[in-house]
Amino acid sequence: MTIENARHAIEAAIHSGDFKDMGVAVFKAINALEERIKRLEEEVERLKVK
């Protein structure tokens, strides 16, 4: 899930008042952010080597 998709899922859950969906969406957003951070850290390491 992309960060943008996760944001939309959180917003939809908030508007519907569905706390279970909100929790799932937040968890997916955290995972997406962790993946993005990992990719950025790898890119920084590659750039340091050059």
Side-chain angles (χ1 to χ4, degrees), residues 11-49:
E11 289 175 355
I14 290 170
H15 290 296
S16 72
D18 188 337
F19 292 106
K20 181 181 176 188
D21 282 350
M22 197 181 314
V24 170
V26 168
F27 182 75
K28 288 181 178 182
I30 291 169
N31 285 341
L33 288 169
E34 288 175 340
E35 284 299 315
R36 178 73 175 136
I37 291 167
K38 182 179 175 183
R39 286 193 306 269
L40 289 171
E41 288 173 339
E42 290 169 352
E43 184 176 340
V44 166
E45 287 303 314
R46 280 194 305 274
L47 292 172
K48 283 182 181 179
V49 172

